[in-house]
Amino acid sequence: MNFASDNAEGWAPEILEALAAANEGAMASYGDDNLTAEVTKVFSKLFERDVAVFLVPTGTAANGLAFGALAPRYGAIFVHEASHVQMDECAAPEFFTGGAKLIPLAGDDGKIAPETFERSLSYIHDGFVHHAPPKILSLTQASECGTVYSVDEIAALSGLAKARHLAVHMDGARFANALVHLGCSPAEATWKAGVDVLSFGATKNGCIAAEALVFFDPGQVGDVEFLRKRAGHLFSKHRFLSAQMLAYLKDDLWLRLATHANTCAQALGNGLASTAGATLWYAVEANEVFVSLDEGAIERLKAAGAAFHPWVVPGDPANGRILRFVTSFRTDMADVAEAIRVAAAPSF
């Protein structure tokens, strides 16, 4: 019963098969191969417009490169205080930008509220040399609390950003899970709602190591190709990143894998929340469950071999008592049922 992380799982069989196929013969290196050319075509079709795509092995690289392309080293980037770029990327955003300032914003349920963003913008005066000029708004989708921005919420925040000439970045490490919850098209969840660049995650949802940095306006790419090379994220055998991504997107595999993970999370969240003394802290909208359980339930789960983590976020509403359970494309619904059974069993 492994609910520790979707990073703990391996890869989907379709991904491994694609890698084996790409291993046959020789191909041009550093992205000059046919598979990489096909990636751009597939993403353009998926998002219903011409896009520029850059593949990297990690989400941190995708986020950092997006910031480096869109923000000068003296600029300001608005993020949620619990976001991955703020809490879990070891100053990578500052490294990739050469020192741009992250401005963390509080917000319920892991999301930035439009009024909070607008108020923070009001404190910064354009052209005032003592203020870092605002350059990017970054939204995490799904959020670090497992919640999902609605299309209307994205559009409202993007509208405020565009009014001050900010670019909008989306950290989509769990974009597939968010899209399954929203039930809309990839275009509707991104550029049609005002997003300029997306860090499109695949590693957490069945790939081995593959993320895509997607620019919806190729004119905003800037120096990202050079930044990627300088940072050591341009793979020489690039076709193996492309093979993963093509297999991931083929026949909606990415959405089928995310649907399974979300379904398991819904069942797990509902089941754990119904046990005595439990509190579910955030709506289960993707593939993460944040819950408090009584000590008896926690000990029983540990004794049964269940893996999960205590979780602390800024503004922690539970005083350190939140537990995070993560489901994945590989989660067995039988394990979900067993975890619920064990947590609910009476102590003697």
Side-chain angles (χ1 to χ4, degrees), residues 1-282:
M1 292 186 288
N2 194 325
F3 303 107
S5 172
D6 38 12
N7 285 318
E9 299 294 351
W11 48 80
E14 294 89 344
I15 303 301
L16 189 58
E17 290 168 8
L19 284 170
N23 195 43
E24 296 297 323
M27 293 188 192
S29 55
Y30 295 106
D32 290 330
D33 58 278
N34 292 335
L35 293 179
T36 300
E38 186 66 20
V39 165
T40 298
K41 296 177 183 176
V42 169
F43 269 102
S44 294
K45 182 178 179 180
L46 181 69
F47 284 101
E48 305 171 39
R49 65 179 296 163
D50 290 336
V51 299
V53 183
F54 301 88
L55 299 184
V56 291
T58 72
T60 295
N63 291 335
L65 288 168
F67 292 167
L70 297 173
R73 55 193 171 189
Y74 54 83
I77 303 169
F78 294 84
V79 301
H80 191 276
E81 64 181 358
S83 64
H84 203 270
V85 294
Q86 167 68 6
M87 297 294 292
D88 295 292
E89 293 190 348
C90 194
E94 291 85 347
F95 167 77
F96 278 95
T97 60
K101 180 182 180 65
L102 296 187
I103 300 181
L105 303 178
D108 293 340
D109 302 327
K111 298 192 290 185
I112 299 170
E115 55 269 23
T116 302
F117 178 46
E118 186 173 29
R119 184 168 59 252
S120 186
L121 281 174
S122 72
Y123 301 147
I124 300 175
H125 302 295
D126 291 332
F128 186 49
V129 73
H130 299 286
H131 291 173
K135 294 297 181 179
I136 300 174
L137 168 66
S138 180
L139 306 175
T140 308
Q141 184 76 314
S143 80
E144 291 299 294
C145 293
T147 54
V148 173
Y149 285 96
S150 70
V151 172
D152 287 344
E153 287 173 327
I154 298 167
L157 287 160
S158 296
L160 293 171
K162 298 304 170 62
R164 288 289 294 269
H165 308 292
L166 277 72
V168 179
H169 164 258
M170 179 173 284
D171 178 359
R174 295 186 175 94
F175 181 69
N177 305 94
L179 195 66
V180 167
H181 172 76
L182 290 173
C184 65
S185 72
E188 289 167 333
T190 53
W191 65 268
K192 287 186 177 181
V195 176
D196 295 292
V197 59
L198 168 68
S199 297
F200 181 95
T203 305
K204 294 180 188 295
N205 192 38
C207 286
I208 298 172
E211 312 282 313
L213 183 57
V214 183
F215 286 84
F216 297 111
D217 177 2
Q220 290 183 303
V221 164
D223 295 326
V224 72
E225 287 190 89
F226 294 97
L227 293 171
R228 179 174 61 167
K229 176 63 177 178
R230 178 178 178 268
H233 284 285
L234 177 60
F235 269 33
S236 58
K237 297 183 179 181
H238 198 280
R239 69 183 186 270
F240 293 112
L241 294 180
S242 300
Q244 290 180 71
M245 196 60 71
L246 290 173
Y248 184 63
L249 296 175
K250 184 179 180 181
D251 299 328
D252 288 337
L253 174 65
W254 64 300
L255 296 177
R256 288 187 278 116
L257 297 176
T259 297
H260 176 79
N262 284 16
T263 300
C264 289
Q266 283 285 341
L268 183 63
N270 290 338
L272 292 179
S274 67
T275 63
T279 301
L280 189 66
W281 290 103
Y282 308 110

Side-chain angles (χ1 to χ4, degrees), residues 265-266 268-269 272 280 284 287-291 323-326:
Q266 283 285 341
L268 183 63
L272 292 179
L280 189 66
V284 181
N287 66 317
E288 296 177 285
V289 177
F290 295 86
V291 64
L323 304 171
R324 187 186 78 156
F325 293 74
V326 186

